[in-house]
Amino acid sequence: MIFPLIKVVKNGLLVELDYMHHQEQEVVRALLNVVIVEGKTYPQKQPLSPAEFSAYWLNKDAFVVRTSVQDATHKPKEILGAFYLKPNFLGRCNHICNAGFIVQPGLRGQGIGRFMGEAMLLIAANLGYEAVMFNLVFETNIPSIRLWQSLGFEIIGRIPRAAKLGNEQAVDALIMYRALG
């Protein structure tokens, strides 16, 4: 694949998807920590330190969506969303990958998540993965469930009361799966 991938999202913004650069790590960590503190979609309870972020997010492939340099405003590039892609299992099962996604809170619903999801499926196939599996999609995360189902994912399992959200509400988590190729 040739990066960056370019797209115009719903709000008319020209964006690019590319591998995350080293200097973008702190911005992505800060965004992930905002999502963690929201307490609605990720299993972590506390913001991640740089070392914890590195171990969790940077142990294989990491990507960002940023404003494009070709954008007419000529503002500095801004990180709008990010995702990681890594094997879900070790050894004989490492052909099944896992991914995690985050989008700036004020930009959700603009197609950035869909752009990342569609790109992730292509990237995963190009990297030799044969399937994608999400281990913990909280049942209350309706936008994500709808997105993944629209991209061909199936719900293959349910973990009862898997997560206690920020308000201590216990919710089930869905296991979602899609074969590639």
Side-chain angles (χ1 to χ4, degrees), residues 1 13 54 74 89 109 123 129 137 148 161:
M1 292 186 75
L13 194 61
S54 182
H74 300 290
F89 306 106
I123 294 165
Y129 293 109
V137 181
W148 301 126
R161 300 177 52 83

Side-chain angles (χ1 to χ4, degrees), residues 3 17-20 57 61-65 81-85 123:
F3 292 96
L17 187 146
D18 199 359
Y19 278 94
M20 183 170 62
W57 199 271
D61 295 300
F63 301 86
V64 296
V65 171
F83 70 97
Y84 66 79
L85 185 61
I123 294 165

